[in-house]
Amino acid sequence: MNTRKDATEKIKKFLSSDCNVLLLTGTFQHEKHPLVFKTLFENISKPCKILFRGNHASNLKVFLSPIFKLNTEPKTGTPINVLGGHKLWVDTINPKSWDATPTELDVVIVYPVDSLNEKNGPGCVQDLINRNSKKIILVSWTDNKDFNWIDQFSPVKAIFDAEEERPEYHQDMIKVINRIEN
């Protein structure tokens, strides 16, 4: 099974490895990026520079508020102090938002990676590599897209499905994915 425990272990192993890119997919839509943050904070002790690259500026607060209880819209170029002394920056998959992003990053989370494709995805990931990002974590939302373009970055792959915790939701997501693919 692709449980929370399995995904957490895979992320932990990735964080301590020499690998640079991880692709996290699965049916647990809104739980994947919080799981990444939780695992990160539990397994990285020294303060680090984290970038959250969202699909649109209007979604940044929506995606991050459940995790960090944000009262205001996060702004590109302005770090947010988060748990453990870590600094969190935000930008979007739009290259125009990248100017204020630090050039040295420890961990990057891109969510949802479904918003990228073989045309704009490689440039987005390459920008993160060029910033000397130590760990790049690409997180899907619905898994109804072709992620084969990511293979050029030799990602570690992890899956977090809702099957164990919410079996009906998991089955609903499988139906949605199959309907979109057909």
Side-chain angles (χ1 to χ4, degrees):
M1 281 186 126
N2 302 311
T3 65
R4 181 180 304 271
K5 181 179 177 186
D6 296 336
T8 300
E9 288 303 314
K10 194 87 168 199
I11 296 165
K12 283 171 53 175
K13 187 175 177 184
F14 166 75
L15 291 172
S16 63
S17 75
D18 292 333
C19 299
N20 191 250
V21 178
L22 179 134
L23 173 62
L24 178 60
T25 59
T27 60
F28 224 145
Q29 285 182 311
H30 304 288
E31 291 288 322
K32 288 180 280 195
H33 74 285
L35 177 71
V36 169
F37 276 110
K38 181 178 188 296
T39 306
L40 178 67
F41 293 141
E42 289 175 353
N43 291 280
I44 304 247
S45 56
K46 68 175 187 167
C48 64
K49 290 182 175 180
I50 303 166
L51 171 67
F52 183 84
R53 183 167 279 180
N55 63 340
H56 195 275
S58 63
N59 290 335
L60 294 172
K61 184 177 179 190
V62 172
F63 294 152
L64 295 173
S65 285
I67 303 163
F68 300 111
K69 312 295 185 241
L70 300 177
N71 295 323
T72 60
E73 290 287 334
K75 304 232 182 304
T76 59
T78 304
I80 302 165
N81 293 319
V82 294
L83 300 170
H86 303 294
K87 300 268 188 214
L88 174 70
W89 279 265
V90 297
D91 68 16
T92 71
I93 61 171
N94 182 339
K96 293 178 183 174
S97 72
W98 301 349
D99 290 342
T101 300
T103 55
E104 298 280 330
L105 297 162
D106 295 302
V107 180
V108 177
I109 300 163
V110 179
Y111 177 79
V113 72
D114 312 53
S115 298
L116 297 171
N117 57 42
E118 64 278 347
K119 286 186 177 183
N120 63 353
C124 179
V125 175
Q126 191 58 54
D127 170 72
L128 299 170
I129 292 169
N130 293 347
R131 291 176 189 278
N132 298 311
S133 304
K134 293 175 183 80
K135 300 293 179 183
I136 301 168
I137 303 173
L138 309 172
V139 183
S140 72
W141 184 55
T142 58
D143 292 2
N144 64 348
K145 303 289 182 180
D146 179 0
F147 298 123
N148 289 333
W149 65 267
I150 298 171
D151 289 345
Q152 66 190 293
F153 300 103
S154 303
V156 170
K157 294 183 180 179
I159 302 171
F160 179 26
D161 285 332
E163 186 173 17
E164 181 181 63
E165 295 175 39
R166 295 184 55 201
E168 289 178 19
Y169 174 82
H170 173 76
Q171 288 305 315
D172 289 345
M173 288 307 305
I174 295 295
K175 289 175 188 171
V176 167
I177 293 166
N178 289 336
R179 189 175 25 220
I180 293 170
E181 289 178 350
N182 295 329

